[in-house]
Amino acid sequence: MEKKAYYSNGKLLITGEYLVLSGALALAVPTVKGQELLLEEGTGYNTLHWKSYFKEDCWFEAKFSLPGIEILEAGNPKTAAYLQTILREANRINKDIFAQGSSVNMITKLGFHPEWGLGSSSSLINNIASLFEISPFELFFNTQKGSGYDIACAEAKTPLFYRLENGEPKIEKADFNPPFKEKLAFIYSGSKQDSERSLSRFLDMKGSIEYQMGGISMISREILGTQSHHEFNDLLNEHEEIMAKVLQLPKVKGSRFPDFPGSIKSLGAWGGDFLLASSEIGFEEIKSYFSGKSLNTIFSFDELVLH
């Protein structure tokens, strides 16, 4: 068997969280950090041996039978069942990958910690779709509840606008590289959100959100276009106000960082994952502030955003 390697970007959602599911325009960025998938010939008979690494640590390992993809061994049964669902669906769409009698090793290497919420699932799905030579959006929508913006980021070279029109993804290149980027920072909040649970909660509670969707779509366009740091912060604050009312949740700045001298926006699922902080004090002082709150996973714009 010929060795094969695939790579997909991670992602961050700058604007449009939750409402992107209902058709709002979202601004998203692919990240410098992503995930690699390696395929090589294995030993034995009719076996898929899976290993997932972050740096040198194997954080997940499992064995599946082939071609039926039954779980034989698993360090984490929940993760194994999730992976089984994706592999079975990919195999249903294209059965030419796993031949009877073959054994393969599949190895993933994450460029970011799996708890950070930077797209470990979406980059995995995109890599598996590439291996099976199928549409990553088809595989995603057949197995997940999200909007698919993270799949768009997985292969993107630059930031992008994303929206769903009648359930179909619409992607537009976005030149998001603000002149005040040295005054921005991305901070891991210290807790990973269960994206599927967060999305289910939103879908269960949402009422009439046409007005809010229009406001969020407008903010997405204006955030891209502004050259003013002050206006950028105002737009972040406005976005947080709208989503706080939609989700009936407190804004992260008021609840956790009321003394921060600038704006803070939740990125993606509220209550976890990454935050965007923007302040005139600049990146190093922003970093010092959050380090003082025991949050030490902090990136500058250029360290994290692929553009």
Side-chain angles (χ1 to χ4, degrees):
M1 174 184 288
E2 180 186 356
K3 289 186 177 180
K4 296 181 180 180
Y6 305 91
Y7 179 83
S8 295
N9 308 317
K11 52 73 181 179
L12 280 172
L13 191 59
I14 304 300
T15 66
E17 64 269 17
Y18 298 101
L19 294 184
V20 66
L21 284 163
S22 300
L25 183 70
L27 175 62
V29 298
T31 61
V32 172
K33 300 176 183 296
Q35 181 168 199
E36 185 178 17
L37 171 64
L38 305 175
L39 174 73
E40 61 186 23
E41 186 172 356
T43 58
Y45 182 79
N46 282 356
T47 303
L48 164 58
H49 190 183
W50 186 284
K51 287 186 176 182
S52 295
Y53 287 88
F54 170 60
K55 297 183 178 178
E56 301 302 318
D57 297 327
C58 181
W59 61 275
F60 171 72
E61 184 173 3
K63 289 185 179 180
F64 302 87
S65 66
L66 294 178
I69 317 178
E70 298 289 347
I71 300 171
L72 301 175
E73 300 175 18
N76 184 318
K78 183 178 179 181
T79 301
Y82 174 78
L83 180 58
Q84 179 188 48
T85 297
I86 296 169
L87 289 170
R88 279 184 167 176
E89 179 60 19
N91 196 48
R92 184 193 67 80
I93 300 171
N94 179 5
K95 294 182 179 296
D96 294 336
I97 301 300
F98 296 140
Q100 181 74 23
S102 66
S103 286
V104 297
N105 296 330
M106 297 178 74
I107 301 165
T108 63
K109 297 181 179 180
L110 272 173
F112 51 86
H113 195 285
E115 294 297 312
W116 288 357
L118 283 182
S120 54
S121 293
S122 55
S123 56
L124 172 68
I125 288 171
N126 195 72
N127 283 337
I128 290 175
S130 296
L131 166 64
F132 280 80
E133 300 179 351
I134 61 178
S135 163
F137 284 104
E138 181 180 5
L139 181 57
F140 178 86
F141 287 128
N142 287 354
T143 58
Q144 313 294 306
K145 290 184 178 179
S147 68
Y149 86 87
D150 39 6
I151 296 297
C153 287
E155 294 185 350
K157 305 300 182 186
T158 65
L160 55 91
F161 283 127
Y162 183 90
R163 79 185 319 155
L164 290 173
E165 293 184 8
N166 299 317
E168 292 295 320
K170 302 296 180 183
I171 304 165
E172 177 186 344
K173 181 179 177 181
D175 185 18
F176 182 54
N177 190 23
F180 43 81
K181 62 185 178 182
E182 73 281 355
K183 298 176 182 179
L184 307 179
F186 296 99
I187 305 99
Y188 176 56
S189 67
S191 60
K192 177 174 171 55
Q193 285 291 86
D194 185 325
S195 297
E196 187 134 331
R197 185 178 299 176
S198 297
L199 293 176
S200 294
R201 179 180 181 274
F202 167 71
L203 292 172
D204 288 343
M205 69 179 290
K206 74 171 187 176
S208 177
I209 53 173
E210 291 299 320
Y211 176 77
Q212 292 89 339
M213 284 175 56
I216 292 298
S217 295
M218 185 179 299
I219 290 171
S220 296
R221 291 286 185 191
E222 291 177 349
I223 274 184
L224 184 72
T226 186
Q227 299 295 299
S228 164
H229 185 218
H230 178 76
E231 183 181 7
F232 181 84
N233 285 354
D234 286 345
L235 291 168
L236 294 186
N237 295 339
E238 185 180 353
H239 195 294
E240 287 285 279
E241 288 284 351
I242 292 172
M243 292 311 303
K245 292 176 181 177
V246 170
L247 299 173
Q248 300 174 26
L249 291 172
K251 292 172 287 184
V252 66
K253 180 179 176 180
S255 61
R256 295 184 60 185
F257 312 105
D259 60 340
F260 179 73
S263 299
I264 303 176
K265 184 186 178 300
S266 295
L267 302 181
W270 275 39
D273 298 339
F274 269 76
L275 309 172
L276 170 60
S278 176
S279 175
E280 289 292 339
I281 63 177
F283 174 74
E284 290 301 329
E285 289 300 317
I286 296 174
K287 185 175 181 179
S288 177
Y289 172 88
F290 283 98
S291 294
K293 305 290 185 180
S294 299
L295 299 179
N296 297 304
T297 302
I298 304 169
F299 299 98
S300 68
F301 187 93
D302 286 337
E303 285 177 319
L304 200 55
V305 177
L306 184 65
H307 61 88

